[in-house]
Amino acid sequence: MILAPSILTVKEEERNNVLTELSNMGIIYLHLDIMDGKFVPNTTPGVSMLKKINKFDFVFDTHLMVEDPINYIDKFYKAGSDIITFHYEAVKDVLSIIRKIKSLGIKCGISIKPNTSPEVLLPYLKELDQILVMSVEPGFGGQKFMENAIDKIKYLDDLRNKCDEYNYLIEVDGGVNLSNVSMIRNAGANVVVMGTALINSTDKKLVIEEVDSL
Ligand code: DX5
Ligand code: ZN
Protein backbone atom coordinates (compact mmCIF):
# COMPACT_ATOMS: atom_id res chain seq x y z
CA MET A 1 0.00 0.00 0.00
CA ILE A 2 1.05 3.60 -0.53
CA LEU A 3 2.59 5.46 2.41
CA ALA A 4 2.16 9.22 2.32
CA PRO A 5 4.29 10.82 5.03
CA SER A 6 2.92 13.98 6.65
CA ILE A 7 5.60 16.53 7.51
CA LEU A 8 3.26 18.61 9.67
CA THR A 9 5.44 18.26 12.76
CA VAL A 10 8.79 18.66 10.99
CA LYS A 11 10.50 21.98 11.80
CA GLU A 12 11.38 24.21 8.87
CA GLU A 13 15.11 23.92 9.50
CA GLU A 14 14.88 20.11 9.35
CA ARG A 15 12.54 19.89 6.39
CA ASN A 16 15.12 19.50 3.62
CA ASN A 17 17.01 16.77 5.45
CA VAL A 18 13.88 14.81 6.25
CA LEU A 19 12.61 15.08 2.68
CA THR A 20 15.95 13.96 1.27
CA GLU A 21 15.92 11.00 3.63
CA LEU A 22 12.34 10.04 2.69
CA SER A 23 13.07 10.40 -1.00
CA ASN A 24 16.14 8.18 -0.69
CA MET A 25 14.00 5.59 1.08
CA GLY A 26 11.67 5.37 -1.91
CA ILE A 27 8.80 7.58 -0.77
CA ILE A 28 6.74 8.83 -3.72
CA TYR A 29 3.61 10.38 -2.16
CA LEU A 30 4.06 13.33 0.18
CA HIS A 31 1.08 14.52 2.22
CA LEU A 32 0.94 18.29 2.80
CA ASP A 33 -1.34 19.55 5.56
CA ILE A 34 -2.58 23.08 4.94
CA MET A 35 -4.48 24.77 7.78
CA ASP A 36 -6.01 28.25 7.95
CA GLY A 37 -6.74 28.63 11.68
CA LYS A 38 -10.47 28.84 10.85
CA PHE A 39 -11.60 25.48 9.54
CA VAL A 40 -9.25 23.95 12.12
CA PRO A 41 -7.72 25.56 15.24
CA ASN A 42 -4.17 25.49 13.89
CA THR A 43 -2.24 27.16 11.10
CA THR A 44 0.53 25.95 8.80
CA PRO A 45 2.66 27.54 6.12
CA GLY A 46 0.80 27.54 2.84
CA VAL A 47 1.88 27.76 -0.74
CA SER A 48 5.27 29.24 0.19
CA MET A 49 6.25 25.90 1.70
CA LEU A 50 5.32 23.94 -1.41
CA LYS A 51 7.33 26.34 -3.55
CA LYS A 52 10.37 25.62 -1.40
CA ILE A 53 10.04 21.83 -1.61
CA ASN A 54 8.81 21.50 -5.17
CA LYS A 55 12.38 20.70 -6.23
CA PHE A 56 11.76 17.23 -4.78
CA ASP A 57 10.20 14.74 -7.12
CA PHE A 58 7.19 13.76 -4.97
CA VAL A 59 3.52 13.41 -5.80
CA PHE A 60 2.33 16.38 -3.74
CA ASP A 61 -0.85 15.21 -2.03
CA THR A 62 -2.31 18.46 -0.72
CA HIS A 63 -4.84 18.31 2.12
CA LEU A 64 -6.63 21.64 2.41
CA MET A 65 -8.10 22.11 5.88
CA VAL A 66 -9.42 25.55 5.04
CA GLU A 67 -12.78 27.31 5.05
CA ASP A 68 -12.67 28.57 1.48
CA PRO A 69 -10.75 26.06 -0.68
CA ILE A 70 -11.71 27.81 -3.92
CA ASN A 71 -9.24 30.60 -3.01
CA TYR A 72 -6.34 28.15 -2.68
CA ILE A 73 -6.68 25.90 -5.70
CA ASP A 74 -4.97 27.97 -8.41
CA LYS A 75 -2.09 28.90 -6.12
CA PHE A 76 -1.39 25.31 -5.10
CA TYR A 77 -1.75 24.09 -8.65
CA LYS A 78 0.83 26.62 -9.82
CA ALA A 79 3.17 25.73 -6.95
CA GLY A 80 3.12 22.04 -7.91
CA SER A 81 0.24 20.19 -6.23
CA ASP A 82 -0.57 16.93 -8.00
CA ILE A 83 -3.64 16.09 -5.93
CA ILE A 84 -5.81 18.63 -4.15
CA THR A 85 -8.16 17.39 -1.46
CA PHE A 86 -10.71 19.68 0.17
CA HIS A 87 -13.13 19.10 3.01
CA TYR A 88 -16.76 18.23 2.29
CA GLU A 89 -17.73 20.15 5.45
CA ALA A 90 -16.07 23.36 4.25
CA VAL A 91 -18.08 24.03 1.11
CA LYS A 92 -21.64 24.50 -0.12
CA ASP A 93 -21.19 23.75 -3.80
CA VAL A 94 -19.11 20.57 -3.77
CA LEU A 95 -19.41 19.91 -7.49
CA SER A 96 -18.08 23.32 -8.51
CA ILE A 97 -14.91 22.76 -6.45
CA ILE A 98 -14.44 19.30 -7.96
CA ARG A 99 -14.83 20.74 -11.46
CA LYS A 100 -12.41 23.56 -10.73
CA ILE A 101 -9.68 21.16 -9.56
CA LYS A 102 -10.24 18.75 -12.44
CA SER A 103 -10.23 21.57 -15.00
CA LEU A 104 -6.56 22.07 -14.11
CA GLY A 105 -5.73 18.49 -15.11
CA ILE A 106 -4.78 17.37 -11.60
CA LYS A 107 -6.39 14.84 -9.28
CA CYS A 108 -9.23 15.74 -6.97
CA GLY A 109 -9.97 14.38 -3.52
CA ILE A 110 -12.61 15.03 -0.87
CA SER A 111 -12.08 14.52 2.82
CA ILE A 112 -14.63 13.74 5.52
CA LYS A 113 -14.15 14.44 9.24
CA PRO A 114 -14.81 11.73 11.87
CA ASN A 115 -18.44 12.81 12.41
CA THR A 116 -19.33 12.97 8.71
CA SER A 117 -20.97 9.95 7.18
CA PRO A 118 -19.54 8.67 3.88
CA GLU A 119 -23.07 8.54 2.38
CA VAL A 120 -22.88 12.31 1.82
CA LEU A 121 -20.33 11.61 -0.91
CA LEU A 122 -22.65 9.39 -2.99
CA PRO A 123 -23.52 12.11 -5.53
CA TYR A 124 -19.82 12.79 -6.23
CA LEU A 125 -18.17 9.37 -6.22
CA LYS A 126 -17.91 9.11 -10.01
CA GLU A 127 -15.94 12.35 -10.16
CA LEU A 128 -13.41 11.63 -7.44
CA ASP A 129 -9.83 10.39 -7.71
CA GLN A 130 -9.36 10.06 -3.98
CA ILE A 131 -11.40 10.02 -0.76
CA LEU A 132 -9.59 10.99 2.42
CA VAL A 133 -11.16 9.45 5.49
CA MET A 134 -10.06 11.36 8.59
CA SER A 135 -9.39 9.10 11.55
CA VAL A 136 -8.78 12.01 13.94
CA GLU A 137 -10.32 15.46 14.20
CA PRO A 138 -8.26 17.48 11.74
CA GLY A 139 -5.88 20.05 13.16
CA PHE A 140 -2.98 18.31 14.87
CA GLY A 141 -0.59 15.41 14.46
CA GLY A 142 -0.05 12.81 17.17
CA GLN A 143 -3.68 12.01 18.01
CA LYS A 144 -5.24 8.58 18.58
CA PHE A 145 -6.77 6.66 15.65
CA MET A 146 -10.60 6.66 15.76
CA GLU A 147 -11.96 3.20 15.01
CA ASN A 148 -15.13 4.46 13.32
CA ALA A 149 -12.97 5.13 10.26
CA ILE A 150 -12.84 1.38 9.59
CA ASP A 151 -16.53 1.03 8.72
CA LYS A 152 -16.30 4.06 6.45
CA ILE A 153 -13.36 2.54 4.57
CA LYS A 154 -15.26 -0.75 4.18
CA TYR A 155 -18.36 1.08 2.95
CA LEU A 156 -16.39 3.03 0.33
CA ASP A 157 -14.46 -0.07 -0.73
CA ASP A 158 -17.68 -2.12 -1.13
CA LEU A 159 -19.22 0.57 -3.32
CA ARG A 160 -16.09 0.72 -5.45
CA ASN A 161 -16.13 -3.06 -5.92
CA LYS A 162 -19.76 -2.93 -7.05
CA CYS A 163 -19.49 -0.08 -9.53
CA ASP A 164 -17.09 0.16 -12.48
CA GLU A 165 -17.54 3.92 -12.62
CA TYR A 166 -15.88 4.44 -9.24
CA ASN A 167 -12.12 4.73 -9.48
CA TYR A 168 -11.19 6.59 -6.31
CA LEU A 169 -8.36 5.65 -4.01
CA ILE A 170 -9.20 5.48 -0.31
CA GLU A 171 -6.73 7.39 1.86
CA VAL A 172 -6.73 7.36 5.66
CA ASP A 173 -5.28 10.16 7.78
CA GLY A 174 -4.70 10.46 11.51
CA GLY A 175 -3.18 8.21 14.15
CA VAL A 176 -1.96 5.58 11.68
CA ASN A 177 0.90 3.43 13.00
CA LEU A 178 2.35 -0.06 12.56
CA SER A 179 -0.19 -1.52 15.03
CA ASN A 180 -3.28 -0.47 13.10
CA VAL A 181 -2.09 -0.22 9.50
CA SER A 182 -2.90 -3.87 8.60
CA MET A 183 -6.46 -3.45 9.83
CA ILE A 184 -6.74 -0.26 7.73
CA ARG A 185 -5.39 -2.08 4.68
CA ASN A 186 -7.72 -5.05 5.21
CA ALA A 187 -10.71 -2.71 5.34
CA GLY A 188 -9.84 -1.58 1.82
CA ALA A 189 -7.62 1.51 2.10
CA ASN A 190 -5.00 2.18 -0.58
CA VAL A 191 -3.07 5.09 0.92
CA VAL A 192 -2.16 5.80 4.54
CA VAL A 193 -0.88 9.09 5.85
CA MET A 194 1.69 8.79 8.62
CA GLY A 195 2.98 11.72 10.61
CA THR A 196 4.40 11.06 14.04
CA ALA A 197 4.59 7.24 13.75
CA LEU A 198 7.02 7.64 10.86
CA ILE A 199 8.76 10.94 11.54
CA ASN A 200 9.49 10.15 15.21
CA SER A 201 10.54 6.59 14.47
CA THR A 202 14.16 5.63 15.05
CA ASP A 203 13.93 3.29 12.04
CA LYS A 204 11.99 5.00 9.25
CA LYS A 205 13.18 2.45 6.70
CA LEU A 206 11.56 -0.38 8.64
CA VAL A 207 8.25 1.49 8.90
CA ILE A 208 8.30 2.23 5.17
CA GLU A 209 9.10 -1.38 4.26
CA GLU A 210 6.35 -2.75 6.49
CA VAL A 211 3.69 -0.51 4.97
CA ASP A 212 5.03 -1.20 1.49
CA SER A 213 4.62 -4.94 1.98
CA LEU A 214 0.89 -4.72 2.75
C1 DX5 B 1 -4.24 16.14 10.94
C2 DX5 B 1 -3.50 15.95 9.64
C3 DX5 B 1 -2.72 14.69 9.55
C4 DX5 B 1 -1.68 14.52 10.62
C5 DX5 B 1 -1.19 13.10 10.63
O1 DX5 B 1 -5.12 17.18 10.82
O2 DX5 B 1 -4.40 15.97 8.56
O3 DX5 B 1 -2.14 14.55 8.25
O4 DX5 B 1 -0.60 15.38 10.49
O5 DX5 B 1 -0.33 12.97 11.72
P1 DX5 B 1 -0.38 11.68 12.66
O6 DX5 B 1 0.00 10.51 11.80
O7 DX5 B 1 0.62 12.00 13.70
O8 DX5 B 1 -1.78 11.56 13.17
ZN1 ZN C 1 -3.70 15.42 6.51
Side-chain angles (χ1 to χ4, degrees):
M1 96 185 302
I2 298 172
L3 172 56
S6 158
I7 52 164
L8 180 62
T9 59
V10 175
K11 293 195 190 87
E12 189 177 353
E13 55 272 26
E14 287 163 11
R15 204 184 281 142
N16 265 314
N17 286 343
V18 171
L19 292 179
T20 303
E21 190 186 11
L22 293 174
S23 173
N24 289 339
M25 289 177 177
I27 289 295
I28 292 168
Y29 249 63
L30 189 74
H31 185 81
L32 299 179
D33 289 304
I34 308 300
M35 305 184 186
D36 65 354
K38 290 184 246 166
F39 183 71
V40 288
N42 193 6
T43 53
T44 59
V47 78
S48 59
M49 182 201 21
L50 177 52
K51 283 183 184 158
K52 283 183 201 149
I53 65 175
N54 194 15
K55 58 186 179 223
F56 289 95
D57 192 20
F58 292 117
V59 171
F60 290 105
D61 174 34
T62 311
H63 179 193
L64 296 180
M65 286 163 275
V66 300
E67 244 177 27
D68 48 356
I70 195 73
N71 297 335
Y72 291 69
I73 294 166
D74 279 319
K75 290 179 206 147
F76 275 94
Y77 164 70
K78 285 189 191 127
S81 287
D82 299 287
I83 306 167
I84 296 183
T85 295
F86 64 96
H87 266 269
Y88 171 82
E89 301 85 358
V91 299
K92 288 208 176 75
D93 188 353
V94 172
L95 213 47
S96 72
I97 310 279
I98 295 175
R99 296 218 164 111
K100 169 69 194 172
I101 296 170
K102 295 192 86 170
S103 76
L104 299 169
I106 56 173
K107 295 198 166 155
C108 175
I110 290 192
S111 183
I112 49 171
K113 297 206 286 183
N115 288 331
T116 303
S117 146
E119 282 90 349
V120 300
L121 301 179
L122 282 172
Y124 316 109
L125 292 178
K126 265 197 280 190
E127 321 282 337
L128 294 171
D129 299 300
Q130 187 162 281
I131 298 173
L132 175 53
V133 175
M134 289 303 302
S135 41
V136 297
E137 282 300 333
F140 301 91
Q143 303 181 73
K144 191 175 175 305
F145 181 82
M146 294 168 79
E147 303 272 338
N148 76 339
I150 295 295
D151 283 343
K152 296 187 193 183
I153 301 164
K154 285 185 182 155
Y155 172 82
L156 292 167
D157 185 44
D158 279 350
L159 284 177
R160 183 173 57 176
N161 290 334
K162 283 184 199 139
C163 179
D164 287 346
E165 283 182 307
Y166 298 161
N167 294 306
Y168 49 80
L169 293 179
I170 303 170
E171 183 177 33
V172 180
D173 184 8
V176 178
N177 56 45
L178 287 186
S179 309
N180 56 26
V181 69
S182 304
M183 171 178 72
I184 294 166
R185 172 70 187 137
N186 291 339
N190 311 98
V191 185
V192 279
V193 176
M194 253 195 212
T196 48
L198 175 66
I199 301 298
N200 295 353
S201 167
T202 50
D203 194 348
K204 293 192 186 67
K205 183 100 187 114
L206 180 86
V207 178
I208 292 169
E209 279 170 4
E210 281 213 28
V211 176
D212 224 31
S213 71
L214 294 171

